[in-house]
Amino acid sequence: MTAIAIPDRVVPAPIMATVNATVAFGAYLLFVGQVSKSELWTGGGLALAVAGWTIAARACHARMLGIGADHLRPWLLALAGLPWATLRTAGVLVAALFGRQGPGATVSPFVHGPADAAGDNGRRATAVLAASLAPDSFVVRTPQGEDKVLVHRLVAGNAPDPRWLT
């Protein structure tokens, strides 16, 4: 795996909060389409909220993520499967109108890996986000230390890859 380990503490929290707040403020002004006193106040409030959220999130947990090229495949599979998953979900929802239920919560195998390994942290994050992207399923819980994941499914599907949940 060609991974880039991103240590959480490389950039100090106040600098990262300032960068995030500046980007949020600029993006807000760009998308609002006008600059007025009320828009500046709203953008400033958004910037303060983003800065506070950044500092709070970084204070909660310091963990390294390893992101690599192999993380692209689950995202491409999830995005490519969106149209078909949407149609299957629509079918299940129509069937639910007539009293038929989907499979509901299922337990799937999922390789957690060590909690202190940057590559496994990045893989877990990518796998859970990609698996939750589909309209027909989302990850409910990944019990720490257990090689399984609780997934709520509207449509019964194939057993996912235990490393990527796709």
Side-chain angles (χ1 to χ4, degrees), residues 61-114:
H61 210 345
R63 188 173 276 187
M64 293 177 60
L65 294 178
I67 307 296
D70 56 341
H71 293 217
L72 187 60
R73 183 178 180 272
W75 284 105
L76 293 176
L77 287 174
L79 290 172
L82 273 176
W84 178 242
T86 302
L87 288 174
R88 290 187 319 194
T89 302
V92 169
L93 294 176
V94 168
L97 291 173
F98 298 104
R100 205 172 114 218
Q101 293 182 343
T106 60
V107 176
S108 298
F110 181 51
V111 179
H112 275 272

